[in-house]
Amino acid sequence: MTPPLSPQADALATAMDDLLAILNRTADLVAAGDAVEFAGLEDEATALCNAVVQLPPQEARSFLPRLEGVLAALERLEAVVRKANELTQGKATVGRAAAAYRRAEDPDVG
């Protein structure tokens, strides 16, 4: 049986669970095509990881599943953002090509 977490570690676990929920929700929003503000996510994730390192070793080890979950959520978010960027770039390329074609057909356009 795992010993109970200290109040500090318990608060950190809650904060890390909240971050995981935010990362998953952010990935869902990006996948749905919504604009998302990423400001602060990296700072929050870094602060939480640094706080885990400061815990006593046994408590820090208990965070491994949470850290793996956060890493998986970050990897998913990266993949979703990459795909969204590729789609956006593809649409922009098609739009530029269509505009160039219209200009070639009608010199008064553009």
Side-chain angles (χ1 to χ4, degrees):
M1 184 172 156
T2 306
L5 295 176
S6 67
Q8 176 189 6
D10 191 44
L12 181 56
T14 299
M16 195 162 282
D17 292 344
D18 291 346
L19 174 64
L20 181 59
I22 289 168
L23 292 172
N24 285 325
R25 179 69 180 135
T26 301
D28 292 343
L29 290 170
V30 171
D34 293 338
V36 176
E37 178 62 48
F38 292 99
L41 279 178
E42 181 180 357
D43 292 341
E44 185 173 350
T46 299
L48 292 175
C49 290
N50 287 336
V52 170
V53 173
Q54 301 303 316
L55 293 172
Q58 187 168 345
E59 279 191 323
R61 278 191 289 277
S62 73
F63 278 82
L64 184 58
R66 280 185 174 88
L67 291 168
E68 290 171 338
V70 167
L71 179 60
L74 287 168
E75 289 172 346
R76 175 179 172 241
L77 179 57
E78 177 188 20
V80 169
V81 167
R82 186 180 309 118
K83 183 176 181 181
N85 285 339
E86 288 170 359
L87 291 173
T88 301
Q89 289 173 348
K91 288 178 184 176
T93 300
V94 168
R96 285 192 302 271
Y101 182 74
R102 282 192 304 272
R103 282 192 299 272
E105 287 185 335
D106 184 357
D108 294 332
V109 175

